[in-house]
């Protein structure tokens, strides 16, 4: 540990003067600035004057408590999240978040969000998720000794559902439109702590993106500088915003003199953040077409992603399933097997076709084992294999 949390309070991204105590976490958006059609998320404010700049020296390490002064209180035990490798891949760097305990970036969020559940005295954790988020929340809840309810869609990959159940979570497959009313009912009637969105446009857990800031801190130490650009797989944009905020804090603290340009990499089947940025709206909701990239297939956007791209001077990038499959294949052939959605950062960089004056980082978010259709194809044994059969 590097000292106690210096978190002070929550504030609205809709109006930075709208502030609230640190607890309880406002999991239904800002009560002052939100409307029925547009919900503004909250973020955590810290006592930056007390942050020791020596915090940003030395190796990152596999436990985000390494950065505890700049995180909300970490009352849930670690599973060893963070400290993931940065791997050179051609002309970019890949930040491989599949190396986290449940093989995705979501472990950083859930260490923080489940800590909030513990600190709040909640009897359990509830999440609406068909993939990485549900598995991660179930694992961190189990580690903290809390029961978890996971509301999954009926068409979520069976391997992922089995993964979630292995942690002892109650996994219930329900129609997509039923997930949010059920989530609210569990929160309101059972008192479970929600780690999923409950609002018309996305707000999610106010503490969640704070866990993602640690990616920015690690990148700064691993590169020895601030990258020129960061390409991030984007669903609800909590990851995108968290990484952006981490770099903004490094500049605020005088540790770095600049911030990177942030690029949201969304599936072309949806793209709510791209729509919001194109129209000047604070957030948007769009129709969602067919895509196998279920991890970033979101029709509902939020203000976090809009703010990160806009304030950093970045851009939204829409990628097709074909773009994603090509990036996924090329990463795998370099030893990095990613879920289709997890390859969106590299796919976005390739789709944009832009040069940058400095290092470029593509975040890869999740193991390929979580993809749709994994382990369903069988390859029959060869009865009399020859040497020619063995040649790649």
């Amino acid at each position: 540990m590097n000292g106690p949390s210096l978190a002070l309070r929550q504030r609205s991204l809709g109006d930075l003067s709208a502030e609230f105590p640190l607890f309880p976490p406002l999991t239904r958006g800002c009560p002052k600035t939100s409307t029925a059609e547009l919900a503004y998320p909250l973020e955590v404010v810290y006592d930056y004057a007390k942050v020791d700049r020596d915090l940003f020296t030395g190796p990152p390490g596999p436990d985000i408590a390494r950065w505890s002064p700049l995180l909300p209180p970490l009352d849930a035990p670690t599973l060893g999240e963070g400290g993931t490798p940065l791997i050179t891949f051609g002309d970019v760097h890949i930040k491989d978040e599949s190396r986290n305990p449940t093989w995705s970036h979501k472990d950083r969020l859930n260490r923080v969000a489940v800590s909030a559940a513990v600190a709040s005295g909640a009897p359990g954790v509830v999440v609406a998720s068909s993939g990485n988020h549900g598995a991660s929340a179930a694992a961190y809840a189990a580690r903290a000794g809390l029961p978890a309810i996971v509301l999954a869609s009926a068409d979520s990959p069976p391997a992922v559902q089995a993964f979630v159940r292995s942690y002892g979570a109650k996994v219930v497959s329900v129609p997509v439109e039923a997930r949010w009313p059920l989530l609210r009912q569990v929160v309101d009637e059972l008192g479970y702590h929600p780690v999923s969105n409950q609002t018309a446009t996305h707000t999610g857990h106010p503490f969640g993106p704070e866990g993602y800031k640690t990616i920015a801190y690690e990148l700064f130490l691993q590169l020895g500088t601030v990258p020129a650009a960061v390409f991030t797989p984007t669903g609800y944009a909590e990851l995108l915003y968290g990484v952006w905020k981490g770099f903004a804090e490094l500049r605020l603290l005088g540790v770095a003199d600049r911030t990177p340009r942030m690029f949201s990499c969304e599936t072309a089947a949806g793209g709510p953040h791209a729509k919001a940025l194109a129209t000047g709206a604070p957030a948007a909701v769009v129709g969602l077409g067919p895509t196998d990239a279920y991890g970033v297939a979101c029709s509902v956007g939020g203000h976090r992603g809009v703010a990160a791209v806009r304030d950093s001077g970045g851009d939204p990038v829409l990628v097709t399933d074909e773009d994603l499959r090509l990036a996924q294949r090329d990463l795998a052939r370099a030893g990095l097997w990613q879920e289709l959605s997890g390859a969106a950062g590299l796919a976005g960089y390739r789709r944009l076709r832009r040069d940058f004056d400095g290092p470029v980082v593509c975040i890869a978010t999740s193991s390929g084992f979580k993809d749709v259709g994994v382990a369903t194809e069988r390859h029959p044994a060869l009865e009399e294999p020859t040497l020619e059969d063995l040649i790649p």
Side-chain angles (χ1 to χ4, degrees):
M1 296 286 285
N2 285 278
S5 171
L6 296 175
L8 297 174
R9 54 190 173 271
Q10 301 172 81
R11 70 178 177 187
S12 172
L13 292 186
D15 179 355
L16 298 183
S17 68
E19 296 185 332
F20 308 88
L22 186 62
F23 283 92
L26 299 176
T27 58
R28 290 180 178 171
C30 175
K32 291 183 179 179
T33 59
S34 298
T35 67
E37 295 77 29
L38 175 67
Y40 281 102
L42 297 108
E43 66 171 357
V44 178
V45 179
Y46 299 84
D47 190 348
Y48 292 109
K50 293 183 179 178
V51 176
D52 186 348
R53 275 45 172 192
D54 287 341
L55 184 64
F56 301 99
T57 59
D63 180 351
I64 63 170
R66 160 80 169 74
W67 315 103
S68 56
L70 286 170
L71 295 173
L74 295 176
D75 291 314
T78 185
L79 285 170
E81 67 291 329
T84 56
L86 185 66
I87 299 168
T88 301
F89 179 83
D91 58 349
V92 301
H93 300 275
I94 304 296
K95 181 64 166 167
D96 187 6
E97 288 294 289
S98 73
R99 309 294 185 92
N100 280 299
T102 72
W103 311 324
S104 90
H105 63 302
K106 291 290 185 180
D107 292 341
R108 297 181 190 258
L109 180 154
N110 280 298
R111 173 75 188 285
V112 175
V114 173
S115 288
V118 173
S120 301
V125 169
V126 60
V127 56
S129 169
S130 296
N132 292 316
H133 192 24
S136 179
Y140 278 83
R143 178 67 174 157
L146 293 176
I149 297 173
V150 179
L151 304 175
S153 62
D155 57 354
S156 61
V160 176
Q161 289 199 29
F163 188 33
V164 178
R165 287 190 173 91
S166 70
Y167 295 118
K170 177 70 173 182
V171 182
V172 184
S173 295
V174 298
V176 172
E177 63 274 9
R179 290 162 69 180
W180 314 118
L182 277 173
L183 180 78
R184 283 177 172 267
Q185 189 175 6
V186 171
V187 173
D188 293 341
E189 297 183 19
L190 300 182
Y192 275 42
H193 195 78
V195 290
S196 288
N197 186 58
Q198 301 180 78
T199 49
T201 53
H202 190 272
T203 59
H205 198 289
F207 291 9
E210 303 299 314
Y212 291 140
K213 295 188 311 186
T214 60
I215 294 176
Y217 306 155
E218 290 176 18
L219 287 173
F220 180 72
L221 293 181
Q222 290 169 320
L223 289 169
T225 187
V226 173
V230 179
F231 289 78
T232 305
T234 301
Y236 289 131
E238 292 170 301
L239 172 63
L240 176 74
Y241 182 76
V243 174
W244 161 243
K245 183 178 180 183
F247 282 115
E249 287 179 333
L250 290 173
R251 184 175 61 178
L252 174 67
L253 291 166
V255 176
D257 60 0
R258 59 189 175 87
T259 54
R261 299 174 70 180
M262 302 295 299
F263 294 86
S264 60
C265 303
E266 300 178 274
T267 170
H273 298 92
K275 179 180 179 180
L277 287 157
T279 59
V285 178
V286 299
L288 184 64
T291 175
D292 287 335
Y294 73 96
V296 292
C298 296
S299 61
V300 177
H303 187 58
R304 286 192 185 103
V306 174
V309 173
R310 180 196 64 202
D311 295 349
S312 71
D315 282 302
V317 186
L318 296 177
V319 294
T320 66
D321 278 19
E322 183 180 358
D323 295 331
L324 292 167
R325 289 192 180 96
L326 180 60
Q328 182 189 45
R329 184 202 68 188
D330 291 347
L331 285 169
R333 290 180 177 176
L336 300 169
W337 188 36
Q338 291 290 316
E339 178 186 342
L340 193 64
S341 299
L346 177 61
Y349 169 72
R350 289 173 164 181
R351 167 66 67 175
L352 192 67
R353 296 187 180 91
R354 187 179 299 173
D355 293 328
F356 295 92
D357 185 19
V360 173
V361 173
C362 299
I363 299 178
T365 51
S366 171
S367 168
F369 124 85
K370 299 178 182 180
D371 249 341
V372 175
V374 167
T376 59
E377 183 180 357
R378 293 189 177 276
H379 299 273
L382 296 175
E383 293 185 3
E384 297 182 7
T386 66
L387 185 60
E388 286 72 19
D389 292 323
L390 307 181
I391 297 174

